[in-house]
Amino acid sequence: MSRTHTEIDQGMCGTPVELKEGSAKVELAVVERMKVDARGLVHGGYVFGLADYAAMLAVNDPNVVLGEATTRFVAPVRVGDVLTATATVTEEKGKKRMVKVTDRKSVV
């Protein structure tokens, strides 16, 4: 059960499909309202939001806050794509958690 981000708009940030201690998987169906141009390309903020949400769920603490992130976009995302973010806590230091998130894309 999620203890964080309980009122998030899952249509914009993704729907949890798996939640375990220290890990989470979230899926996001990319829809028309996310496009930024006539080719159906989607702003990277939606992709980052998905990754951020997955990381927050992997930590699963009501007081979780993103402190730092490094992002690399390797392919365009378009309307109709389905993205899956898999997040895993890789390191714990006191209250801090390092989380690795990988986004994958499939076309419906």
Side-chain angles (χ1 to χ4, degrees), residues 37-104:
D37 64 20
R39 296 177 296 163
L41 290 174
V42 171
H43 190 280
Y46 292 106
V47 179
F48 184 83
L50 168 66
D52 178 59
Y53 183 39
M56 299 300 104
L57 289 174
V59 173
N60 204 16
D61 184 278
N63 299 313
V64 66
V65 176
L66 176 66
E68 181 180 337
T70 302
T71 306
R72 193 168 38 128
F73 297 98
V74 297
V77 175
R78 291 182 170 82
V79 171
D81 291 344
V82 175
L83 306 177
T84 303
T86 303
T88 305
V89 174
T90 59
E91 188 178 330
E92 296 185 29
K93 288 183 181 179
K95 292 183 178 182
K96 293 183 180 183
R97 305 288 182 271
M98 296 293 294
V99 181
K100 179 173 177 74
V101 181
T102 305
D103 284 350
R104 300 277 184 227

Side-chain angles (χ1 to χ4, degrees), residues 15-63:
T15 302
V17 293
E18 185 177 292
L19 184 58
K20 297 178 183 176
E21 182 72 30
S23 69
K25 188 180 286 188
V26 181
E27 286 185 353
L28 176 66
V30 179
V31 295
E32 189 76 18
R33 67 182 174 167
M34 297 175 182
K35 77 177 183 178
V36 296
D37 64 20
R39 296 177 296 163
L41 290 174
V42 171
H43 190 280
Y46 292 106
V47 179
F48 184 83
L50 168 66
D52 178 59
Y53 183 39
M56 299 300 104
L57 289 174
V59 173
N60 204 16
D61 184 278
N63 299 313

